[in-house]
Amino acid sequence: MKFAGDYFRVNPFDAKFSTFTKALSYDKQLLQKKELTDNYSNYSISGTYKVFNPFSLNANNVEMHIRSIGLRHYFGVSTPMYIYQLVARFPDSPIGRRKIRKDYWQMVNRFRRLYTADFLQE
């Protein structure tokens, strides 16, 4: 939850799923929205942020996608699963590539600090 809150403009863990999807649908910063909902709880939305950028390097744009990947069964309960991702497009240059690698390793290390200790204690 801590990790998602830092990188996604709308945190999926802040409220119920319906509140989360409504916030995505009405986000004024999300441009060129493509939204798809069907009768089987499959939800998909994508768009582009021109202003929002959670990375240290200035991106040309940041795309957001969330899509249903179907039902998975956990402990005998059918649970809808989703993929929620950000795709950032950066200018290509040697300096830019170094900054991207630096951002990537900062994210990896932060993820490890936040979650590895919890996994090891269980």
Side-chain angles (χ1 to χ4, degrees):
M1 293 188 300
K2 294 175 187 175
F3 195 80
D6 287 346
Y7 289 97
F8 291 98
R9 182 169 156 80
V10 181
N11 187 341
F13 301 109
D14 280 345
K16 292 191 285 184
F17 188 72
S18 59
T19 305
F20 163 69
T21 57
K22 186 182 249 186
L24 282 177
S25 298
Y26 293 107
D27 187 353
K28 293 193 185 310
Q29 295 294 320
L30 186 62
L31 308 174
Q32 303 165 345
K33 285 182 214 160
K34 294 177 189 160
E35 196 167 355
L36 172 72
T37 306
D38 66 20
N39 294 337
Y40 302 103
S41 298
N42 290 329
Y43 177 79
S44 170
I45 187 170
S46 63
T48 303
Y49 292 111
K50 293 292 183 188
V51 177
F52 174 67
N53 179 12
F55 308 104
S56 67
L57 180 64
N58 288 333
N60 292 341
N61 68 6
V62 176
E63 299 170 15
M64 184 281 304
H65 306 276
I66 183 168
R67 66 182 170 86
S68 170
I69 59 170
L71 295 174
R72 301 291 190 267
H73 298 281
Y74 293 100
F75 306 106
V77 177
S78 293
T79 306
M81 298 298 290
Y82 294 86
I83 294 176
Y84 186 31
Q85 70 185 72
L86 291 177
V87 178
R89 309 253 185 241
F90 299 101
D92 186 24
S93 70
I95 293 170
R97 283 184 235 136
R98 278 197 300 275
K99 288 182 179 181
I100 290 169
R101 275 194 292 276
K102 181 180 177 186
D103 253 25
Y104 171 78
W105 285 110
Q106 285 176 341
M107 287 175 19
V108 167
N109 289 331
R110 179 148 194 273
F111 189 83
R112 285 180 182 157
R113 280 193 309 275
L114 287 171
Y115 300 109
T116 304
D118 290 339
F119 292 138
L120 293 175
Q121 290 176 3
E122 290 181 11

